[in-house]
Amino acid sequence: MRKLIPLLLLVVHHFASAQTKDERVKIDSILSVYTGRSVDGKGLLQEAITLSQQSDDYLLGQLYFKLAEEHLATGAYDSAGKYYPLSLTPLEIAGDSTLLGEAYIGMGYVLYLKGDYTQSLNYNLKAEKIFRAAKANKLLGRALKRMAGVFIAMKDYGTSEKYLSEALTIAEEEFDTINIVRTLNTLSVIYDETGDFKKVDPILKRAIALAEAIHCIRCMAISYSQWGISLHFRGQYKEAIGKYRKEYELNKLEGLTFDQYFVYQNIAEAYFELQNLTLALAYSDSAMFLAKTENAPQFIHDSYKIQYKIYKAQNNLGKALAALEMKSQYVDTLFSQEKARMQEDMKVAYETEKKEQLITLLEKENTIKVLEAEQSKQLRLYLIVVVVLLVLAAGVLFSRYRLKQRTAKLLDAKNIDLQNLNQVKDRLFAIISHDLKSPLSSFHTVTSTLNQYYGQISQADIKKYLEKLEVASKSLEDQMKNLLEWSLHQISERKLSPEVFDLKEMAETLKSFFQLSLEVKRQNMYLEIEGSIPLETDREYVQTILRNLISNAIKFTPPEGTIWLRAKTAGAEIVIEIEDTGIGIASEDFSKLFTLEADKKSIGNSPEKGTGLGLVLVKEMIEKMGGTISLASELNKGTTFTLKMTGKQQKQAA
C-alpha cells in the first residue's frame, strides 16, 4: 500500500489542469490573507477547501487542520472535532510529522472536553512520540501539559504531576516564559485538589512575577484568578476577593470586558459564603448584566443559580422560586442552541460530502478516458490508482458515518436530560397547586372572618382564630421549606458538605425549637442519648431529617402523648430512633409514605394531614448520605422511625 502512494501522487500531478494551477494561486492568496482567528477566518478556509478539492492531499490536510483550529479557538468544539480527523489522513500521506502531531493534540483536546479521556490520551501519546523523535521540545512540552490535564480530570494527580514536571523543565530550558507560567498555574490546581495548599502560594507568586517580567497582563490575570479560586477553595473568602479584584483591574487594563463576568460571579460566591448577601446580590447582578449583554445562555443560567441561593438564604421565597424557574428556562435555551448549532454543522458536513463525491466521480471519469489511450502496462497501473482513490473515499465516508452516529447519541442524551427536568418541574408545580392550597385557604377564611365580624367577636374567639392562623402559617412554612429543599435535591444542585458537630447538642436545639408546639399539645419529649456523639457529615441534611421526623411525631400524636429521640453508636454506625405514642400507621400503608405518587390523605385517620413531601425528602437525603431509614408501627399505639448512617462521610465533588 505504501509503495502505491507515490504513484498516486504522480498520477494526480500528471492530470492536473491549468485551471488547478490557477486554483492553487487563489488558495495561496487566501492563506496569505488569513492570519488565524480573523473576522471571517472560517469563511476564508472553507473557500480554500472548495478550491483545493482537486489539489494535493497535503494542502487539503493543512486547510482542514487550520479550520479545526479556528473552530476550537471560537469554542465550537463539535465542529473542531469534525475537521481534525479530516486533516489526519492527508497529513500522514504527506509525511509532515510536526503538523500531524499538532493535529493529534487538537483532537485530543476536543475528546478531553467531551469527557472521553482514554481516546484523548491516545492522541496525545501519538503527538508525544512524534515530537520526541523530531526533538520539537516546545511542542513536546505542550503535549505533556495536555496529558497532565487529562490525568487531573481522571483524579490521577501523581501521573499528572510527573508530566507537568517534565513540561516545566522543557519550558525552562527553552526559555519559554509563557509556558512556564501556564504550567505553574496547572500545578497549583493539583496541589489544590490534593490539599497541599502550602505549595500553592509560592508557585502562583512565581507565575505572577514571570508574567509581569514579560508584560503579559493576560497571564497575570489568569494567575490571580487561579489564586483567588485556591483561597476560595480553602475557605479564605476575604483573601480570595482581594485576588479576584486584582484580576478585575488587569482585565480592565487589557480591555477584556466580558472576562469580568467570571470575576463578578466568583466575588458573588465568596460574599455568599461570608453571609454578606447584599454584596453577593450586587455582584451577581453585575455578572447577570454582562451575561445578558453578550447573550450567553450558559452564563445567564449560572447567574440565576447563585441568585436562587442568595434569595433562599434571605428567606425571600418568591424571588427564590422565580430565579429557580428562570434557571430552568435557560437550561431549555442551552439545549435548543446546542441542537441548532449541531444541525448546522451536520448540514455543512453533508454539503461538503456531496461536493467531494461529485469531484471524486469526475476524477474517476477523466482517469478512465486517459487510461483507454495508454498502453496495457499503464492501464493496470491506473486501475490500481482508482482502487486506492476508492479506498480513501470509503474511509472518508466511514468517518462521516461515525460522526453522525456520535451526534445522534448526543442529541438523544440531551433529550433525556430535558425530559427528566420537565418531569421534576411538573411534580414541583403539582405540589404547589394542590398541597399548598389548604393552608392558604385557611389564611383567607380566618382573615376574612376577622375583618367582617371584628366588632362582634369576643376576645376568646379572636384568640382561637389567631391560633388557627398560627397553625396554618406553621404548616405553610414547613411545606415551603420542604418544597425548596426537595426541589434543590431533585436538580442535584445540593452537594454533601461534611462538618464536625455534636448530635446531642443538635437534638437539644431541636427540642427547644419545638417546645412551644409541645406545650400547646401538652406533650412530653425525652432525649435518650449516650453522652456526646460527634458526627462528621452534612449538618444541614441531618437537621432537616430530624426536624421533619419530630414535626410528624408531634403532628400525629394526640395531646398528652410522649415522644422519644434516642441515639447511640453501633460500631462505625450511628443509630437514631424517633418514637411516639401517636395514631400509628397500618402496615399496608408503609410503602405509600416515601413516594410522591401515593395519596397521603388516605393514610390514617388523623385530622392533621400534610403533603407527604417531608418523608420523601427525608428518604432521599438519608440515602444520599449513604444511610437507611425504616419504621415499625402499630395502629393506635405509636410509630418508631429508625435511621442508620456512618459517623464520617467524604465531601462530594461539585
Side-chain angles (χ1 to χ4, degrees):
M1 187 71 177
R2 292 183 178 273
K3 293 180 180 180
L4 294 176
I5 291 174
L7 296 175
L8 170 63
L9 296 176
L10 286 173
V11 172
V12 173
H13 179 72
H14 178 74
F15 293 108
S17 63
Q19 181 180 2
T20 303
K21 293 179 181 179
D22 291 338
E23 290 171 349
R24 179 59 183 266
V25 172
K26 292 178 184 178
I27 294 169
D28 291 338
S29 176
I30 289 173
L31 290 176
S32 67
V33 174
Y34 171 75
T35 57
R37 302 192 188 185
S38 56
V39 175
D40 190 29
K42 296 175 185 176
L44 288 170
L45 292 171
Q46 286 285 5
E47 181 182 356
I49 287 173
T50 301
L51 291 171
S52 67
Q53 297 293 340
Q54 293 183 339
S55 183
D56 59 280
D57 287 332
Y58 174 65
L59 184 60
L60 192 59
Q62 279 186 308
L63 293 171
Y64 277 130
F65 170 74
K66 289 181 181 295
L67 186 56
E69 293 278 284
E70 183 77 13
H71 280 286
L72 185 66
T74 56
Y77 304 120
D78 287 333
S79 297
K82 175 182 68 178
Y83 289 111
Y84 277 124
L86 294 178
S87 72
L88 299 180
T89 299
L91 291 176
E92 288 171 351
I93 293 173
D96 189 333
S97 60
T98 301
L99 195 60
L100 178 61
E102 291 187 70
Y104 283 145
I105 289 179
M107 190 64 207
Y109 187 58
V110 171
L111 291 166
Y112 162 79
L113 293 174
K114 291 184 175 182
D116 190 347
Y117 302 131
T118 301
Q119 287 300 318
S120 177
L121 279 176
N122 287 337
Y123 277 104
N124 280 296
L125 286 168
K126 289 180 181 179
E128 179 196 12
K129 184 177 180 181
I130 288 173
F131 296 143
R132 286 193 190 279
K135 296 183 179 180
N137 287 340
K138 284 189 177 181
L139 291 173
L140 174 60
R142 182 182 171 194
L144 294 171
K145 183 177 176 295
R146 284 283 170 82
M147 283 192 287
V150 176
F151 281 113
I152 288 175
M154 297 169 69
K155 308 297 184 184
D156 188 348
Y157 302 119
T159 304
S160 177
E161 188 172 5
K162 182 186 72 174
Y163 279 108
L164 284 175
S165 178
E166 185 179 359
L168 184 59
T169 300
I170 291 172
E172 289 173 339
E173 289 174 352
E174 296 292 326
F175 302 102
D176 190 355
T177 306
I178 288 180
N179 274 335
I180 293 174
V181 173
R182 291 171 177 169
T183 305
L184 291 173
N185 286 337
T186 307
L187 270 172
S188 73
V189 174
I190 294 178
Y191 297 138
D192 276 335
E193 291 292 335
T194 57
D196 197 358
F197 300 120
K198 64 182 180 181
K199 293 183 180 179
V200 174
D201 294 355
I203 282 178
L204 291 175
K205 284 181 182 178
R206 183 189 174 197
I208 291 170
L210 289 172
E212 189 173 10
I214 62 173
H215 306 291
C216 182
I217 295 173
R218 178 62 175 153
C219 298
M220 283 190 287
I222 293 172
S223 295
Y224 274 117
S225 176
Q226 186 61 45
W227 204 346
I229 291 169
S230 175
L231 291 167
H232 198 133
F233 188 79
R234 299 178 231 172
Q236 299 176 22
Y237 304 115
K238 290 183 179 179
E239 293 81 357
I241 290 171
K243 303 304 179 187
Y244 293 146
R245 285 177 174 162
K246 284 277 191 181
E247 179 191 4
Y248 172 86
E249 293 299 330
L250 293 167
N251 285 342
K252 186 177 180 182
L253 189 64
E254 195 75 351
L256 301 171
T257 303
F258 185 68
D259 282 17
Q260 306 294 33
Y261 165 84
F262 304 100
V263 179
Y264 291 142
Q265 190 78 342
N266 286 336
I267 292 178
E269 291 278 0
Y271 273 125
F272 175 80
E273 295 296 339
L274 291 170
Q275 292 300 299
N276 191 335
L277 302 180
T278 301
L279 283 177
L281 188 58
Y283 278 99
S284 177
D285 285 339
S286 298
M288 179 74 78
F289 174 79
L290 286 177
K292 288 185 175 179
T293 299
E294 293 293 324
N295 192 25
Q298 178 63 59
F299 300 129
I300 296 173
H301 166 271
D302 292 343
S303 295
Y304 276 121
K305 176 180 176 181
I306 179 63
Q307 288 193 356
Y308 165 73
K309 291 163 59 178
I310 294 169
Y311 285 130
K312 180 174 179 283
Q314 290 177 333
N315 206 26
N316 192 337
L317 303 182
K319 288 190 176 181
L321 284 174
L324 183 64
E325 173 61 18
M326 291 301 297
K327 185 171 76 68
S328 299
Q329 289 181 14
Y330 274 93
V331 170
D332 297 341
T333 301
L334 287 168
F335 173 76
S336 299
Q337 290 189 351
E338 178 71 5
K339 181 179 178 181
R341 183 173 63 78
M342 293 176 68
Q343 288 176 338
E344 181 62 26
D345 287 344
M346 285 191 291
K347 180 180 178 182
V348 171
Y350 175 70
E351 291 176 352
T352 303
E353 182 180 336
K354 287 200 301 183
K355 291 178 181 178
E356 289 178 353
Q357 289 176 340
L358 179 60
I359 291 170
T360 302
L361 181 61
L362 291 174
E363 287 178 344
K364 289 193 295 182
E365 291 176 353
N366 291 333
T367 302
I368 291 172
K369 291 179 181 179
V370 174
L371 291 174
E372 288 176 349
E374 295 291 335
Q375 296 177 357
S376 59
K377 182 178 179 179
Q378 292 176 322
L379 177 61
R380 289 193 298 271
L381 177 62
Y382 291 156
L383 285 174
I384 293 173
V385 170
V386 172
V387 171
V388 173
L389 285 173
L390 288 173
V391 170
L392 291 175
V396 172
L397 290 173
F398 181 71
S399 176
R400 295 276 200 280
Y401 172 73
R402 293 288 300 275
L403 175 63
K404 290 177 181 178
Q405 279 190 323
R406 290 195 297 270
T407 303
K409 289 181 180 178
L410 181 59
L411 284 173
D412 290 341
K414 292 286 186 181
N415 278 324
I416 291 171
D417 289 343
L418 183 59
Q419 289 172 3
N420 291 337
L421 182 59
N422 283 331
Q423 288 175 1
V424 171
K425 287 165 60 179
D426 291 343
R427 293 166 72 188
L428 179 63
F429 289 122
I431 291 170
I432 292 173
S433 62
H434 292 90
D435 294 323
L436 298 184
K437 181 178 179 182
S438 178
L440 289 174
S441 177
S442 296
F443 257 102
H444 175 73
T445 301
V446 174
T447 53
S448 176
T449 302
L450 287 173
N451 183 50
Q452 293 181 24
Y453 303 104
Y454 179 77
Q456 305 172 29
I457 301 175
S458 66
Q459 290 296 320
D461 288 336
I462 290 176
K463 188 175 186 306
K464 290 180 180 179
Y465 281 120
L466 290 175
E467 289 176 352
K468 290 182 178 180
L469 279 176
E470 183 182 7
V471 171
S473 65
K474 182 64 172 61
S475 174
L476 183 60
E477 181 186 18
D478 289 345
Q479 292 181 30
M480 287 299 290
K481 284 181 180 177
N482 284 338
L483 184 61
L484 284 173
E485 287 289 348
W486 178 79
S487 62
L488 182 62
H489 186 78
Q490 288 298 307
I491 58 178
S492 299
E493 295 286 351
R494 178 69 163 85
K495 303 295 182 183
L496 288 181
S497 181
E499 61 179 291
V500 178
F501 62 92
D502 183 34
L503 178 60
K504 185 174 183 179
E505 290 181 3
M506 176 181 285
E508 290 171 347
T509 301
L510 286 170
K511 181 180 178 181
S512 298
F513 176 78
F514 285 107
Q515 190 60 44
L516 181 59
S517 298
L518 292 166
E519 290 175 0
V520 170
K521 295 190 74 172
R522 303 187 303 283
Q523 295 171 338
N524 294 314
M525 180 175 176
Y526 298 104
L527 302 180
E528 297 179 2
I529 299 178
E530 301 175 349
S532 176
I533 299 181
L535 278 79
E536 185 176 355
T537 185
D538 194 301
R539 182 188 188 97
E540 187 176 339
Y541 267 29
V542 176
Q543 185 167 289
T544 300
I545 290 168
L546 294 181
R547 174 174 54 79
N548 273 284
L549 293 175
I550 294 171
S551 176
N552 279 352
I554 293 172
K555 183 184 296 183
F556 295 109
T557 298
E560 301 182 359
T562 304
I563 298 162
W564 292 270
L565 193 158
R566 304 185 182 93
K568 62 180 180 180
T569 58
E573 281 190 330
I574 305 297
V575 180
I576 303 172
E577 292 181 351
I578 293 87
E579 181 181 352
D580 62 58
T581 58
I583 62 174
I585 306 167
S587 59
E588 60 268 20
D589 290 331
F590 284 6
S591 60
K592 300 178 182 178
L593 294 176
F594 300 108
T595 63
L596 283 177
E597 289 75 10
D599 181 10
K600 305 300 189 299
K601 301 185 186 304
S602 65
I603 300 175
N605 55 7
S606 173
E608 299 193 54
K609 300 291 184 178
T611 64
L613 185 59
L615 286 178
V616 173
L617 181 61
V618 165
K619 185 174 185 295
E620 291 182 354
M621 282 186 168
I622 194 67
E623 289 180 350
K624 189 170 184 179
M625 294 167 65
T628 62
I629 181 171
S630 60
L631 77 152
S633 183
E634 189 173 349
L635 285 175
N636 301 317
K637 289 189 177 182
T639 301
T640 301
F641 284 91
T642 302
L643 304 171
K644 293 183 180 180
M645 69 183 80
T646 58
K648 183 174 181 180
Q649 295 170 339
Q650 297 297 320
K651 184 174 183 179
Q652 288 184 350

